[in-house]
Amino acid sequence: MNFTRWSARLPGTQRRAAARDDRSSVPAARAEYARTEGTPAPLDDDAPAPSGTAVAEGLPGPALDDLSAREILGRLPAPVALLHGPDHRVAYVNDAYEAAFGPRPPGVPAAEAMPELDRLSVLPLLDQVLRSGTPRTVKSRRTTEGGSYTVTCTPIAGEDGVLVYAADVTDHAEAAERLRTSERRHRETAVTLQRSLLPQELEQPDDLRIAATYQPGGTDAAVGGDWYDVITLGAGRTALVIGDVMGRGVRAAAVMGQLRTAVRAYARLDLPPHEVIQLLDVLAAEIDASQIATCVYAVHDPNEGQLVYASAGHLPILVRDEDGTVHRAADPTGPPLGTGGWVHTSGTIALPPGSTAVLYTDGLVERRSEDIDEGVASLARALSGAKGSPQVVCDRLIRSLGVTAEHDDDVAVLVVQHPARTGTNAELFHNAALDLLGGIEAAPRARAFATGVLSSWRFPVELRDLGVLATSELVANSLQHGTPPMRLGLRRTDRRLIIEVTDGDDHLPRRRQAEPADEAGRGISIIASIATSWGSRRTPGGGKAVWCEFALPQ
């Protein structure tokens, strides 16, 4: 076998051969060897090197040209096999190969004598190597013996043979597997934390039907900080929230959890949407200024038939009318949370009966190959034809936008439907209102109005009396502490009776303990003791609204 034709293809031999051809280094190497061995160095640079020297390395030992191919291959610590002919008969295996896989009889085809090559996926490569004359490599394949190898098959020029060289990468493979296991556990921890911080069960308001979907990114994508929430505010009003922390992993999920908790706390103050976003902006900077988050906070009031919203760098709300027309919420949209220095404002978008609103995160519409506006347009087209329950609409939007289990980003979708009620179902929802005019005479008119309305709604006598009492106390409180214009509103749903009084004064009432000698201050305490819940808020045009609710018997 002509070793010089193919020895340069062995790993490491090119370096040694190049060193041997570098003639300028020979005299220095010889001189160094002579000094260490006590033998005078030859003066003639072209004289042959002393027998037994390895010129390329400058160290004692046989010269490369003095070794046979069998001797070199036998000294290699890596498994090596030589295969010959079209059926790849075993020509030679070195000691390292026998130690790893056992002895192999020469002259037998590799398909019969070397089953390990099949397990390493090497056998199909042998024919390719012979035909193309190009080396082929399979990386980090595991054997039944427990080791992992990277195998290179190199053609032997002019010899109709293949050199099989296996590098043991077991330690590297085990380290990589430990890393993958660690990353998998880290991801599972982040996903578990993320899901535990999301609402386990969505609140279902009287006037809306709501569903949400959260899907973490694929196994190669780190878990993000997408979140959503539904918060009932009282008096039939509902807050809808969706947001996205731009980081990844456990840290993003933890920041998301803090923001979601803060949103629920601020929502209980019943503030306008832009004020909630303003408070979140300050809080986000305090939590972690390096974590950018977007959020949209919207409030639905069944008496107004619209969403009042504020957005901090988030994607626009989409609303589908009953006829399939899709509207996109316009500005105002401020910068993301935590940037500071921006005065947020609120906007509105109609949500009439029969319509559907969709709030979503960028994972649903953002693709590397297209502008995000194109993704929003694709979502609008998908929404225009999406019918069914909120959960069905969620699933259809996910499928229409091509989101799979291996998606490269988290996706959160919140679908809100304002159903158009007809038939017997519509009979359970009523509204009645009265403008309170004429000063002190307004109180008896309000009581008479409430008595007539509650009787027409066929409430039990006990509930009707409680409703009239609550109406009297709310109106009296407004007449004493408020300013015109004043208005009484009564609303019933299939689950509750809501009584609300608005006036032009923006000082919110508070419950206090009245002393026995006090002639006033007991109205709110009476309402708190007889009603299921009560509350107050400032109205957008100035003034306030004070309300209470009574749960209806089911």
Side-chain angles (χ1 to χ4, degrees):
M1 181 179 293
N2 189 348
F3 172 73
T4 59
R5 290 186 180 180
W6 55 269
S7 62
R9 295 184 181 271
L10 281 175
T13 58
Q14 291 180 343
R15 176 180 57 80
R16 290 193 292 270
R20 177 166 51 84
D21 291 339
D22 187 1
R23 310 301 297 175
S24 62
S25 63
V26 172
R30 290 174 176 170
E32 178 64 23
Y33 176 71
R35 285 193 298 271
T36 57
E37 297 297 327
T39 304
L43 297 178
D44 185 1
D45 288 346
D46 294 329
S51 176
T53 62
V55 177
E57 302 295 338
L59 298 173
L64 184 63
D65 288 340
D66 295 336
L67 296 176
S68 67
R70 180 181 294 272
E71 290 174 317
I72 291 179
L73 296 178
R75 295 186 182 188
L76 290 178
V80 175
L82 290 174
L83 308 177
H84 182 72
D87 52 355
H88 314 297
R89 296 182 178 275
V90 179
Y92 169 79
V93 294
N94 68 352
D95 294 340
Y97 196 101
E98 292 186 351
F101 304 110
R104 295 293 179 261
V108 180
E112 301 175 13
M114 309 176 87
E116 64 278 358
L117 297 187
D118 184 39
R119 293 191 292 268
L120 292 169
S121 302
V122 172
L123 284 180
L125 297 183
L126 299 177
D127 289 334
Q128 299 178 24
V129 171
L130 276 184
R131 286 195 306 267
S132 65
T134 304
R136 304 284 184 179
T137 300
V138 293
K139 295 183 178 180
S140 192
R141 298 298 174 89
R142 191 171 183 83
T143 65
T144 55
E145 290 80 3
S148 296
Y149 293 87
T150 292
V151 183
T152 300
C153 301
T154 303
I156 304 174
E159 298 291 341
D160 194 24
V162 177
L163 171 70
V164 178
Y165 179 89
D168 190 342
V169 294
T170 303
D171 292 342
H172 175 78
E174 291 176 351
E177 181 59 29
R178 288 193 296 269
L179 178 61
R180 286 192 294 269
T181 301
S182 175
E183 291 176 345
R184 185 167 56 251
R185 289 176 178 172
H186 181 82
R187 172 183 165 75
E188 290 171 355
T189 300
V191 170
T192 301
L193 175 62
Q194 174 87 343
R195 291 194 182 279
S196 67
L197 294 175
L198 291 173
Q200 302 306 301
E201 185 176 352
L202 288 178
E203 299 181 30
Q204 294 293 336
D206 298 357
D207 296 270
L208 301 175
R209 296 293 176 264
I210 301 176
T213 295
Y214 169 73
Q215 180 171 309
T219 55
D220 294 333
V223 177
D226 294 16
W227 95 92
Y228 56 82
D229 209 347
V230 178
I231 309 165
T232 54
L233 302 177
R237 301 164 69 250
T238 306
L240 309 167
V241 194
I242 197 162
D244 185 3
V245 178
M246 296 304 178
R248 289 289 184 267
V250 174
R251 177 58 182 166
V255 172
M256 176 274 287
Q258 295 178 76
L259 291 177
R260 177 175 174 256
T261 301
V263 169
R264 296 192 69 87
Y266 295 149
R268 298 305 178 192
L269 301 176
D270 219 337
L271 300 171
H274 64 274
E275 292 189 22
V276 172
I277 292 295
Q278 205 78 51
L279 292 172
L280 282 177
D281 184 34
V282 176
L283 179 65
E286 294 176 354
I287 293 175
D288 189 344
S290 64
Q291 292 277 10
I292 297 175
T294 64
C295 178
V296 62
Y297 179 89
V299 174
H300 174 256
D301 190 331
N303 296 316
E304 298 175 359
Q306 63 182 12
L307 288 176
V308 181
Y309 68 92
S311 176
H314 205 78
L315 294 165
I317 301 172
L318 299 181
V319 175
R320 177 190 182 273
D321 290 340
E322 197 167 11
D323 62 0
T325 305
V326 176
H327 305 277
R328 180 186 302 194
D331 292 337
T333 298
L337 299 176
T339 55
W342 184 268
V343 179
H344 293 271
T345 57
S346 295
T348 61
I349 185 171
L351 189 68
S355 60
T356 300
V358 176
L359 294 78
Y360 51 97
T361 57
D362 59 0
L364 182 64
V365 296
E366 189 173 30
R367 303 292 183 270
R368 292 188 177 93
S369 59
E370 63 182 24
D371 186 81
I372 194 168
D373 287 335
E374 296 179 12
V376 175
S378 298
L379 175 60
R381 289 191 295 271
L383 177 61
S384 66
K387 297 180 181 180
S389 67
Q391 189 60 58
V392 169
V393 174
C394 269
D395 297 339
R396 288 182 176 178
L397 295 181
I398 291 287
R399 290 195 302 269
S400 298
L401 272 294
V403 178
T404 65
E406 297 304 318
H407 195 57
D408 60 358
D409 196 4
D410 290 20
V411 174
V413 183
L414 184 66
V415 174
V416 182
Q417 289 183 346
H418 186 188
R421 305 187 186 278
T422 58
T424 57
N425 191 29
E427 294 298 320
L428 299 176
F429 292 79
H430 293 284
N431 286 279
L434 173 68
D435 291 327
L436 300 175
L437 304 174
I440 193 171
E441 296 85 2
R445 284 203 306 272
R447 286 194 293 271
F449 177 77
T451 301
V453 169
L454 298 182
S455 297
S456 69
W457 289 349
R458 300 179 181 179
F459 283 147
V461 174
E462 181 180 356
L463 180 58
R464 183 188 63 194
D465 292 343
L466 289 176
V468 172
L469 176 59
T471 299
S472 177
E473 294 297 336
L474 288 177
V475 171
N477 182 78
S478 182
L479 289 173
Q480 182 174 359
H481 302 288
T483 59
M486 302 177 186
R487 185 178 178 86
L488 167 65
L490 302 176
R491 175 174 173 78
R492 75 153 293 170
T493 70
D494 58 344
R495 294 184 237 173
R496 71 197 78 226
L497 165 67
I498 302 168
I499 304 171
E500 185 175 69
V501 175
T502 60
D503 63 55
D505 184 79
D506 60 0
H507 290 86
L508 301 180
R510 60 184 179 86
R511 184 180 181 182
R512 64 185 181 88
Q513 184 68 41
E515 298 297 332
D518 292 344
E519 296 183 0
R522 293 183 175 85
I524 297 299
S525 295
I526 292 174
I527 292 171
S529 62
I530 65 174
T532 305
S533 61
W534 77 279
S536 62
R537 72 179 189 280
R538 291 187 173 88
T539 54
K544 68 175 179 295
V546 185
W547 55 269
C548 67
E549 294 181 352
F550 293 88
L552 301 183
Q554 299 299 314

